Amino acid sequence: MSELLQEQSIAKRVTLIGAIWDCLLGIAKIIAGYFSQSQALIADGIHSLSDLVTDVFVYFASSNARQGPDENHPYGHLRFETVTTVFLGIVLIVVAFGIGYESISSHTQAEFTWYGLAALLATIIIKEVIFHYTKSAGEKIQSKLLIANAWHSRSDALSSVAVLIGLIGVYFGYAWADMVASIVVALLIGKMAVEMIWENLAELVDTAPDPKLIAQIKDTANSLKNVMAPHDVRARSMAGKIYLDMHIHVPSYASVSEGHYLGDLVAYTIQKAHPQVADVMVHIDTDDKVQTDSFQNTDNKKPPHLNLPARHQIMADLGFLLRQHTDYLDIEHTKLHYLSDGLDIELIGLLDKVPEGRQLHHLSQAIYLDMKSAPYGNKVTVLWQSPEMDKV
C-alpha cells in the first residue's frame, strides 16, 4: 500500500509541475501573438492552455488509479489510468486534426517578431524538459498515463516547432512553410495517438503481455527446486503492472504447508526478478501427469480424483472401520494423498498408547485387515510415532 501511495505522490507532483508551466507558457504565447498580430502564435498559446484540461484529468486519474483494492475493486484501481490514457490519445487525435485543419484552412499569414520567436523557443525548450521529466517519472513508477501525458507535452512542443518553422519561413519569404510544417507535425501526433489508443484498448480487453516476458517468468519459476513445469500461465496488464495466474507441479506427497511454502516462494521469486509483476496467484498441482492433464478440461468433465470421497466422509468411515484401534491411532491427523490412480492413506499410530505386550507388527496387520473393507484406499500405511521422535 505504501508503494502505491508513493507512486501516487510522484504522479501528482509531476503533473502539477507540468500544469503550472502549461499555464505560464500559454499566457506568454498569447500575449506575444497579440502584440505581433500572429494568429498562429495565439492558437499555439491556446493549445498550451488546453493542456491544462488533460493535466486535470491526469491529476485526478493518478489519485484514483494508485489507490489500493477495495470491496468494489478487488484488483485495485489501475484501470482508471488505462481509460484515462485512451482519453488522452483521443485528445491528441483531436489536436492533430486541429493543427492540420488550421494549417490548411487559415488564410492569415504569421508575422515574424523577436518576442514571438523568444516565446516559441522557450516553449520548445521547457516542454522538452517537461517531456523527459514526466516520461522518466512514468517509467519509474511504470505509469502509462504519465508517459502518455509526457508525449502530450511533446505534442505542444512539436506544434510550437511548426509555428517556429512557419515564422522562419515567413522571415525568408516562404509563406507556405508554416502550412507544410504544421501538417507534418499533425501527422506525427496522430500516429503517436493511434498507437497509444490501440495499446491501451488491448489492455482493457486483457490482451496477454509480451510472450517473451511470460517465457522469462516461467523460466524463473522453473529454476526453483521442487517446483516443476510451470503451466497454464495467464496474465493481464493494468497500467503497466502485470497480474499473473499460474499452475506449478510439486511432489505428490508434499504436505499442504509445503505446497503453500513453495507457492509463496514462486510468487516472491517472480516478483523480485520481474518488478513489473504486481501480483501472482499460484495454483498447486501434484507431479502426477494424468491428474494435471485432467485439469485442462474445456468440456467441464469431472476430474477423476474428484470422484474420491472428501476428507470428512473418509474420517467418518475410518472412525467406524478402525473403531477397535482408536486407543492408539490418531485418526484426526490422518494424511490423505489424492492421486489420479486412487487414494493413499497414512495413519498415525501412537507408540505410548500401545497396550503392553502387543507387537507393532500384529497391530499393523490388524489395521490393514480392517481397512480392506474400505471402498477406497490405493495404499494404506501406518506410521508409528512417539512423543520423543517424529517417526519410528
Side-chain angles (χ1 to χ4, degrees):
M1 184 66 70
S2 58
E3 183 180 352
L4 288 175
L5 291 176
Q6 185 178 6
E7 292 177 355
Q8 181 187 84
S9 176
I10 292 173
K12 291 169 70 174
R13 182 179 70 249
V14 170
T15 304
L16 188 60
I17 291 173
I20 292 172
W21 279 110
D22 283 336
C23 181
L24 294 176
L25 292 172
I27 294 173
K29 284 189 284 189
I30 289 174
I31 293 173
Y34 175 79
F35 285 108
S36 63
Q37 298 298 308
S38 171
Q39 295 299 320
L41 193 52
I42 292 175
D44 196 39
I46 294 173
H47 177 206
S48 293
L49 288 179
S50 70
D51 289 351
L52 286 172
V53 177
T54 57
D55 287 335
V56 170
F57 274 96
V58 172
Y59 186 87
F60 286 104
S62 297
S63 299
N64 292 321
R66 299 287 158 171
Q67 292 179 9
D70 57 29
E71 184 177 351
N72 294 323
H73 304 88
Y75 287 95
H77 299 72
L78 289 174
R79 284 284 166 85
F80 281 97
E81 188 168 304
T82 308
V83 172
T84 307
T85 305
V86 173
F87 167 77
L88 273 180
I90 295 173
V91 170
L92 285 176
I93 288 180
V94 173
V95 169
F97 272 111
I99 292 174
Y101 177 79
E102 182 65 25
S103 64
I104 294 173
S105 62
S106 178
H107 299 291
T108 60
Q109 183 173 328
E111 297 180 11
F112 182 88
T113 59
W114 291 108
Y115 42 84
L117 176 64
L120 288 172
L121 288 175
T123 297
I124 294 169
I125 295 172
I126 293 174
K127 293 296 275 187
E128 187 66 15
V129 171
I130 291 175
F131 163 75
H132 288 286
Y133 174 60
T134 306
K135 184 170 179 287
S136 176
E139 291 173 345
K140 179 180 179 181
I141 66 174
Q142 298 176 346
S143 170
K144 290 185 177 180
L145 179 59
L146 275 187
I147 294 174
N149 202 34
W151 283 105
H152 192 205
S153 294
R154 176 165 274 188
S155 76
D156 191 17
L158 291 175
S159 67
S160 295
V161 169
V163 176
L164 176 62
I165 292 174
L167 287 179
I168 294 174
V170 169
Y171 180 79
F172 287 102
Y174 301 103
W176 48 266
D178 181 54
M179 181 183 70
V180 173
S182 296
I183 292 175
V184 170
V185 170
L187 291 174
L188 291 174
I189 295 173
K191 177 179 179 295
M192 176 182 62
V194 169
E195 291 174 349
M196 184 186 303
I197 292 173
W198 182 259
E199 180 181 349
N200 284 275
L201 284 178
E203 183 176 301
L204 285 175
V205 295
D206 285 338
T207 302
D210 186 356
K212 292 182 180 178
L213 175 61
I214 299 300
Q216 292 171 0
I217 290 173
K218 290 174 69 174
D219 288 342
T220 299
N222 208 27
S223 67
L224 297 170
K225 290 184 178 180
N226 294 323
V227 175
M228 298 157 283
H231 61 287
D232 291 353
V233 178
R234 298 184 298 178
R236 64 178 71 180
S237 297
M238 291 188 188
K241 307 288 186 181
I242 294 177
Y243 288 74
L244 190 70
D245 300 334
M246 71 186 310
H247 292 235
I248 62 171
H249 291 290
V250 301
S252 297
Y253 284 89
S255 65
V256 173
S257 58
E258 184 182 358
H260 180 72
Y261 166 83
L262 292 173
D264 283 350
L265 178 63
V266 168
Y268 170 78
T269 304
I270 288 175
Q271 289 182 291
K272 188 175 181 180
H274 308 279
Q276 65 270 51
V277 177
D279 183 72
V280 184
M281 178 64 69
V282 180
H283 178 89
I284 304 298
D285 290 334
T286 66
D287 57 3
D288 186 283
K289 183 178 184 299
V290 177
Q291 180 172 334
T292 302
D293 289 344
S294 69
F295 190 86
Q296 297 275 11
N297 222 336
T298 54
D299 52 2
N300 293 323
K301 288 184 179 179
K302 192 175 184 180
H305 55 283
L306 292 187
N307 291 317
L308 295 168
R311 182 179 180 86
H312 70 275
Q313 181 181 339
I314 294 174
M315 291 298 101
D317 291 344
L318 292 180
F320 175 76
L321 294 171
L322 302 174
R323 58 189 181 278
Q324 296 181 4
H325 310 281
T326 53
D327 290 341
Y328 45 83
L329 283 182
D330 186 2
I331 296 178
E332 183 182 350
H333 290 89
T334 298
K335 294 181 181 179
L336 305 177
H337 299 283
Y338 288 88
L339 306 175
S340 60
D341 60 347
L343 178 70
D344 285 5
I345 300 176
E346 289 184 6
L347 298 168
I348 307 299
L350 304 175
L351 284 174
D352 58 332
K353 302 293 185 181
V354 174
E356 261 187 66
R358 300 294 298 272
Q359 296 183 3
L360 295 183
H361 174 71
H362 292 155
L363 289 178
S364 298
Q365 289 299 324
I367 292 170
Y368 296 147
L369 186 62
D370 289 338
M371 284 295 297
K372 278 188 175 180
S373 58
Y376 44 77
N378 192 43
K379 177 183 175 184
V380 178
T381 305
V382 181
L383 303 177
W384 294 98
Q385 297 181 356
S386 68
E388 294 78 20
M389 53 199 321
D390 293 330
K391 287 185 181 180
V392 175

